[in-house]
Amino acid sequence: MKAVTLLFLSLGFVATGWAQEAIHLPTSTPEVFKDNITVEKLSTDANQSSFLIWVKDTVRPHHHAEHTECIYVLEGEGTFYLGTNKMELKPGDYVRIPQGVVHSFKTRSPVPAKVLSIQTPEFLGEDRIWSDHQH
């Protein structure tokens, strides 16, 4: 019941104009895909940064020393590695990546994987530490 109430409150904020910005994520696609990974910044402030990320092939193993990241899969499918865990992700899946945990991703679908990535606190692009860890 609590989740349903929160959903209706969230929709109410958007419908009444209380939200500062609304973006329809399922239809948002980049004009040109870059090589392997394409990133579109949606919003950022001192508390969080939100991105749409498309992955054609692979995200190499890495971790964030200062950030927690949450991803929500919008399109495509793939294998996600989180620490020692391996999971198959598909649209509708949500993953919380704790600060300091090595993670990587391999797209397994014919279309690029598309995820909503939210990082806290604000991500300025400098807290991505590549790992030699192989999955």
Side-chain angles (χ1 to χ4, degrees):
M1 182 64 177
K2 185 186 264 187
V4 171
T5 302
L6 289 174
L7 174 63
F8 283 116
L9 285 173
S10 298
L11 292 174
F13 290 138
V14 172
T16 60
W18 291 2
Q20 292 183 3
E21 181 178 11
I23 299 169
H24 187 66
L25 299 180
T27 60
S28 179
T29 56
E31 291 181 23
V32 177
F33 281 98
K34 295 181 182 171
D35 294 331
N36 175 39
I37 300 172
T38 299
V39 178
E40 178 183 323
K41 186 185 298 183
L42 298 175
S43 66
T44 191
D45 63 26
N47 299 309
Q48 67 81 37
S49 294
S50 299
F51 305 93
L52 279 180
I53 302 173
W54 290 263
V55 180
K56 284 184 176 181
D57 186 34
T58 305
V59 176
R60 293 182 10 228
H62 66 284
H63 71 279
H64 307 285
E66 306 284 326
H67 293 83
T68 294
E69 181 177 10
C70 297
I71 62 167
Y72 181 78
V73 181
L74 297 166
E75 295 175 6
E77 297 178 3
T79 305
F80 189 77
Y81 300 91
L82 180 63
T84 59
N85 296 319
K86 174 183 173 183
M87 54 195 90
E88 298 302 319
L89 298 183
K90 62 188 180 318
D93 288 342
Y94 168 87
V95 179
R96 181 180 174 278
I97 306 161
Q99 176 180 339
V101 176
V102 174
H103 54 285
S104 62
F105 182 79
K106 172 69 176 159
T107 298
R108 303 272 183 218
S109 57
V111 298
K114 177 182 176 183
V115 302
L116 171 64
S117 169
I118 301 172
Q119 299 210 10
T120 59
E122 183 175 28
F123 184 77
L124 300 174
E126 299 169 0
D127 184 30
R128 187 177 299 109
I129 302 157
W130 300 110
S131 173
D132 292 333
H133 183 78
Q134 298 296 316
H135 287 117

